[in-house]
Amino acid sequence: MSEHKLLILDDDELTGETIRNVAEYAGMSVQVTTNATAFFNLLKEWEPSHIALDLIMPEMDGVEVLGALGEQNITAKIIITSGVGQQVLQAAARSAAAHGLNIVGILPKPFNPKAFRELIDSPSPNLTDLIDGQHTTGRPNALTINANDLAKAIKNREITLAYQPKVGCTSGTLMGFEALARWHHADYGFIAPDIFIAIAERHNLIDDLTLLIFEQALPWFSQFCQQQHQTPTTPQASQLICSINISALSLRNLSLFNQIEALCHLHNVKLHSIMLELTETGAMDDPVASLDILTRLRMKGFQLSIDDFGTGFSSMLQLVRMPFSEVKVDKSFVMTAQQSRESRLVIQAIIELAHSLDMKVIAEGIEDYPTLQFLQQLGCDKAQGYFIGRPVPADKVNEWLKQRKLALEQQRLKALDILKIMDTPAEQRFDRITRLAKRMFDVPIALITLLDEDRQWFKSKIGMDVSETPREHAFCSYTIEQEKCLVVNDASLDSRFSDNPYVVNPPYIRFYAGFPFRASTGEKLGSLCLIDTKPRYISERETKLLGELALMVEEEIAANQLLCEDHLTGLLNRRGFEFRANHILKLCRDQDCEASLIYFDLDNFKYINDLHGPQAGDTALLQFAKLLNRTFRESDLIGRIGGDEFVVLMVNQSDTDPSAILDRLSNTVDAYNQSIHSDIHLYYSFGITTTKALSDYDLQQLYNLADEALYKNKQHGQQLNMTITVNSEL
Ligand code: C2E
Ligand code: MG
Ligand code: MG
């Protein structure tokens, strides 16, 4: 080892001396310096075979030193030493790779002599192994490949692609793929893209390489989408996205993008299905020029993703100005999220920032389930990583997809099983939603379906006699493959359904619209569906409404029913009422429909209690609740929100006349009073308020107005069965 000369640059003298002792003991000659100028002088004069470099130093940081070493084409083996975290070390290793330096290892502080000796003795590892924290492969040194090798490989199309799936973070649905360059060299074996991309960038080969990537990815992607489109259960192929990495250097070359655009046309791939991934540092190098070209690319229709976000130092202002559609959280944070609080905070901050700028967020490097769950909780939009799927060659993608579907279905069935909701009795809280859906859409059939392994079972059914159907005949099997609404305008003309027994035989389904709903853990359980026997169209706004109603089903599934129910009357209690009323009011505001809130007060409740005892009081409340239930429609929301205070929220359609319903109530109460033998009659007052379309209101305002109307009615001597209504309107 005597020819080994080690030059150490470390601002901490003690560390420098410690390394010197170990290295000298191993037979090396050693020079130590704490100063960058002296370091570069020694480098020139003494020509060391090894360098140990501290990353954090006061006058010049280690990354700058790496840059300067790169410019001088230094071939010495470099060991990076530092007390900084793994991420910074990894970022530095990447930057060294970009400079073409020969990094043999990273030696984190506190200094460990054994690890140091192993590094000195070990052959140069593949740099990606270092970056990924894996062991060296012991292959011939891939760093000895040169630009000629690479140029040849590009020409001979030896660079191929692996595709890594991207899925919805919560839904798990396939969103697309990232195409990653792969080079299997005849002598050196697998060469990591970090290495040959850096060479391509330095030797002006990157645009040729990028074109080669597009030439392979586009026909594959186009064919994949077509095949998905033909697969009956995944009819959303048009939403799939193919992501391709673009070197920042290519941003100078507008003609490259014209060529890419032409290739997209050639292969019939829409530009908005292509996501160009640019690394953060690259994109921000020259903000003005970048902004210009990125804007043009966006205007053409390409989507833009900012890759490895969090590792560069872009300012918020730059990010706000750049026209990115997506931010990709760097894997160094994601991979350490379980151990490092800082990483978790960074991820959270990136997600919040991106969302506030109306950008989607994807996390890469997800290697385990807890990390995926953590990202779901933060509202991350998409997910990528070994836990979901490793990059695979084109011919293995379908295999992955098959496995993935099986795994997701198992997970779905497990979630359904945990809820114990199949084969339970009908419940008013679900029937209310189907009735509301039936009324709002004016369809003969509305269903809440749940899908288990071999059947579709109806948790709520309006207008349908059977309580379950075999799964193979269920439209909902298709719906649960969707993120949003599945609409079938005319089932008799749709090849997926035209021979379905429920289309060919009664009820002769023609129109179907189903919106999937999920368990709180994200698995799709079934769908809320509307069915008509006539063909029909549905507007985007109506689709949104169906989505809101499906959300209400999700909330019912997640809600703890016991906490929402008034134990005496079985009506909703205040909490249960308000939780649902707020949702319905939001729905009315979005859909521009009217709602009426009616406030009831049992006038003689105190009197009954005082005179006949609490049991008689309870009976009066119970009877009144029953009469309300009998009179109002099942789609109306009825609650007991205080001792003798009741409220009803009605969504008004053209066929709704609240005063007619109130008349009916008055008659029903009348009939009740006459039918009972005791003299405990029911006397009540009410106040009603009706919202105006497009006005801004909240539940509290409606309570206040209805209460005011109630008070006025009482003052006017409104009696049990008189419906003099002071109708206060918002
Ligand atoms: P990238 O664009 O950030 O790609 C993600 C990298 O993370 C890929 O490495 C991928 O294999 C890896 N990865 C994904 N999930 C996980 C995970 O769960 N754990 C771990 N440890 N790693 C994961 P790969 O393929 O080695 O690519 C490295 C980088 O090389 C890419 O980083 C990209 O910057 C560059 N690159 C790859 N292909 C191309 C290309 O065609 N053009 C350009 N310009 N750059 C490319
Ligand atoms: Mg990428
Ligand atoms: Mg990345």
Side-chain angles (χ1 to χ4, degrees):
M1 259 214 196
S2 55
E3 78 280 19
H4 282 181
K5 298 200 280 190
L6 173 68
L7 175 59
I8 303 168
L9 174 60
D10 201 312
D11 70 312
D12 176 23
E13 268 178 53
L14 194 63
T15 310
E17 287 308 318
T18 316
I19 299 178
R20 176 207 285 277
N21 287 340
V22 178
E24 284 181 347
Y25 189 75
M28 300 181 93
S29 0
V30 181
Q31 298 258 18
V32 186
T33 171
T34 54
N35 161 305
T37 319
F39 171 81
F40 281 105
N41 288 338
L42 277 167
L43 193 66
K44 222 185 285 161
E45 292 157 14
W46 193 53
E47 296 185 350
S49 60
H50 289 72
I51 293 169
L53 179 67
D54 185 7
L55 274 188
I56 311 271
M57 287 169 302
E59 4 154 358
M60 187 180 195
D61 75 51
V63 179
E64 276 178 89
V65 175
L66 286 173
L69 290 174
E71 274 163 26
Q72 295 180 24
N73 291 328
I74 295 298
T75 53
K77 293 182 175 172
I78 300 171
I79 296 165
I80 295 176
T81 63
S82 210
V84 294
Q86 199 62 15
Q87 302 146 8
V88 180
L89 286 178
Q90 288 180 0
R94 272 185 199 282
S95 121
H99 291 297
L101 293 171
N102 188 359
I103 307 279
V104 291
I106 297 168
L107 195 67
K109 285 179 182 172
F111 181 70
N112 172 343
K114 183 164 172 278
F116 177 79
R117 270 196 302 271
E118 280 172 4
L119 275 181
I120 295 289
D121 293 340
S122 69
S124 297
N126 178 324
L127 188 66
T128 323
D129 290 344
L130 282 178
I131 291 169
D132 284 346
Q134 292 158 3
H135 289 296
T136 119
T137 56
R139 282 193 177 280
N141 186 356
L143 293 178
T144 57
I145 56 154
N146 60 36
N148 279 339
D149 296 330
L150 182 60
K152 252 192 262 162
I154 295 174
K155 189 156 165 278
N156 298 335
R157 307 177 82 85
E158 282 168 33
I159 311 261
T160 56
L161 285 179
Y163 297 94
Q164 186 174 33
K166 296 176 167 192
V167 299
C169 194
T170 307
S171 66
T173 314
L174 180 68
M175 298 289 195
F177 294 89
E178 175 171 7
L180 293 158
R182 292 290 176 262
W183 186 10
H184 291 272
H185 192 281
D187 300 328
Y188 300 141
F190 177 77
I191 300 172
D194 283 302
I195 293 173
F196 64 82
I197 298 289
I199 297 175
E201 287 180 334
R202 263 183 294 131
H203 296 91
N204 214 9
L205 293 167
I206 189 67
D207 291 351
D208 290 344
L209 179 64
T210 304
L211 268 185
L212 177 59
I213 302 298
F214 274 92
E215 279 164 8
Q216 294 176 70
L218 291 175
W220 171 79
F221 182 66
S222 170
Q223 203 213 343
F224 180 82
C225 291
Q226 241 172 25
Q227 168 210 322
Q228 289 307 300
H229 197 65
Q230 283 153 9
T231 311
T233 49
T234 42
Q236 50 179 357
S238 58
Q239 287 156 26
L240 291 174
I241 288 192
C242 182
S243 303
I244 294 182
N245 293 285
I246 299 287
S247 161
L249 295 178
S250 299
L251 285 183
R252 300 179 198 144
N253 183 358
L254 200 60
S255 79
L256 171 72
F257 294 98
N258 291 334
Q259 282 171 282
I260 292 174
E261 195 181 345
L263 276 174
C264 288
H265 293 314
L266 179 70
H267 294 289
N268 206 10
V269 173
K270 299 239 162 10
L271 296 193
H272 68 74
S273 307
I274 297 295
M275 177 84 75
L276 306 176
E277 290 196 4
L278 288 127
T279 50
E280 181 194 359
T281 34
M284 304 303 176
D285 268 356
D286 181 354
V288 179
S290 307
L291 177 62
D292 186 39
I293 185 151
L294 293 179
T295 308
R296 287 160 85 174
L297 291 174
R298 273 293 266 175
M299 278 158 53
K300 277 179 189 283
F302 289 112
Q303 306 220 42
L304 298 178
S305 173
I306 183 159
D307 205 345
D308 301 341
F309 192 75
T311 53
F313 304 96
S314 47
S315 78
M316 299 277 171
L317 190 64
Q318 279 167 351
L319 181 63
V320 179
R321 284 185 180 158
M322 298 276 184
F324 286 103
S325 14
E326 177 189 275
V327 173
K328 197 169 198 186
V329 185
D330 188 61
K331 64 174 184 280
S332 58
F333 303 112
V334 179
M335 286 163 66
T336 51
Q338 292 310 302
Q339 305 81 302
S340 155
R341 183 173 168 269
E342 277 131 51
S343 293
R344 290 194 294 275
L345 288 174
V346 171
I347 295 170
Q348 184 176 3
I350 294 177
I351 293 177
E352 279 168 12
L353 171 68
H355 282 171
S356 67
L357 296 174
D358 227 5
M359 296 180 195
K360 296 277 183 232
V361 185
I362 178 164
E364 66 178 355
I366 301 172
E367 295 194 341
D368 50 41
Y369 185 56
T371 307
L372 179 66
Q373 267 185 320
F374 166 71
L375 290 158
Q376 288 171 344
Q377 280 155 11
L378 292 184
C380 183
D381 301 287
K382 294 189 212 166
Q384 180 182 356
Y386 293 171
F387 180 68
I388 294 140
R390 287 181 177 256
V392 289
D395 60 0
K396 294 275 176 349
V397 169
N398 280 332
E399 180 59 28
W400 171 82
L401 206 58
K402 209 168 111 202
Q403 295 297 335
R404 169 95 187 150
K405 277 195 175 155
L406 275 176
L408 281 183
E409 178 63 6
Q410 289 309 321
Q411 205 178 318
R412 205 186 70 72
L413 291 173
K414 203 165 136 201
L416 190 63
D417 190 46
I418 288 171
L419 282 168
K420 301 269 172 272
I421 186 175
M422 290 285 275
D423 303 307
T424 51
E427 286 176 71
Q428 212 212 346
R429 58 198 186 112
F430 290 105
D431 291 345
R432 190 187 305 118
I433 300 173
T434 36
R435 289 198 186 274
L436 194 59
K438 179 182 180 317
R439 284 176 51 69
M440 293 184 98
F441 287 92
D442 191 22
V443 283
I445 302 171
L447 305 165
I448 293 175
T449 68
L450 294 162
L451 280 185
D452 79 1
E453 216 167 342
D454 39 38
R455 64 200 170 113
Q456 155 177 259
W457 178 80
F458 306 132
K459 175 66 198 167
S460 171
K461 56 189 171 89
I462 310 291
M464 185 90 160
D465 293 333
V466 292
S467 57
E468 62 181 50
T469 71
R471 179 154 175 188
E472 71 252 39
H473 299 150
F475 281 54
C476 296
S477 282
Y478 296 85
T479 315
I480 59 162
E481 299 286 339
Q482 306 267 326
E483 279 306 275
K484 295 196 169 138
C485 201
L486 171 67
V487 180
V488 181
N489 302 114
D490 185 346
S492 67
L493 302 178
D494 189 314
S495 59
R496 293 169 294 179
F497 306 109
S498 52
D499 57 354
N500 185 298
Y502 300 98
V503 175
V504 181
N505 305 315
Y508 302 113
I509 297 176
R510 288 295 174 270
F511 167 76
Y512 168 95
F515 209 105
F517 57 81
R518 304 162 184 284
S520 55
T521 36
E523 298 85 3
K524 290 181 203 139
L525 303 169
S527 60
L528 172 66
C529 25
L530 310 171
I531 289 172
D532 206 336
T533 49
K534 310 186 286 285
R536 193 176 151 159
Y537 286 91
I538 177 169
S539 69
E540 207 165 299
R541 195 161 122 184
E542 286 175 311
T543 321
K544 210 174 144 226
L545 170 62
L546 190 61
E548 289 286 333
L549 291 166
L551 211 61
M552 284 167 69
V553 177
E554 277 176 19
E555 285 175 352
E556 288 300 347
I557 289 173
N560 184 340
Q561 188 51 14
L562 291 177
L563 296 177
C564 294
E565 211 177 86
D566 170 40
H567 297 304
L568 176 67
T569 61
L571 295 179
L572 295 169
N573 61 18
R574 180 181 276 269
R575 173 189 174 141
F577 177 83
E578 291 185 350
F579 162 65
R580 288 159 180 87
N582 276 320
H583 202 135
I584 291 179
L585 287 176
K586 176 179 177 300
L587 195 139
C588 286
R589 272 193 302 266
D590 290 351
Q591 297 293 321
D592 203 4
C593 19
E594 237 184 44
S596 292
L597 185 95
I598 314 171
Y599 213 122
F600 292 97
D601 186 40
L602 266 191
D603 293 334
N604 58 337
F605 177 64
K606 190 172 177 316
Y607 167 82
I608 297 172
N609 251 349
D610 291 350
L611 210 71
H612 300 279
Q615 206 160 6
D618 281 359
T619 308
L621 293 172
L622 195 62
Q623 288 304 334
F624 190 62
K626 275 191 189 159
L627 297 174
L628 287 177
N629 252 336
R630 198 180 304 160
T631 310
F632 282 91
R633 305 162 309 181
E634 286 196 59
S635 55
D636 299 331
L637 201 64
I638 311 175
R640 177 182 169 219
I641 58 167
D644 60 346
E645 289 163 70
F646 296 81
V647 275
V648 177
L649 182 70
M650 309 170 63
V651 177
N652 300 342
Q653 302 295 127
S654 50
D655 65 341
T656 312
D657 179 3
S659 61
I661 297 180
L662 284 165
D663 277 345
R664 207 163 70 221
L665 178 70
S666 152
N667 293 336
T668 317
V669 174
D670 246 1
Y672 166 80
N673 283 341
Q674 281 164 26
S675 71
I676 53 168
H677 302 300
S678 74
D679 58 348
I680 309 177
H681 290 169
L682 298 175
Y683 298 97
Y684 68 92
S685 308
F686 65 85
I688 176 167
T689 181
T690 299
T691 65
K692 272 242 177 69
L694 296 179
S695 63
D696 206 12
Y697 46 81
D698 62 22
L699 184 60
Q700 193 54 50
Q701 277 172 295
L702 293 183
Y703 273 159
N704 292 347
L705 286 165
D707 189 47
E708 232 171 74
L710 172 95
Y711 183 68
K712 280 188 194 151
N713 278 343
K714 272 189 197 257
Q715 276 186 330
H716 285 92
Q718 181 204 57
Q719 290 274 308
L720 68 155
N721 48 9
M722 292 181 350
T723 51
I724 314 160
T725 316
V726 176
N727 196 348
S728 146
E729 281 198 339
L730 263 172

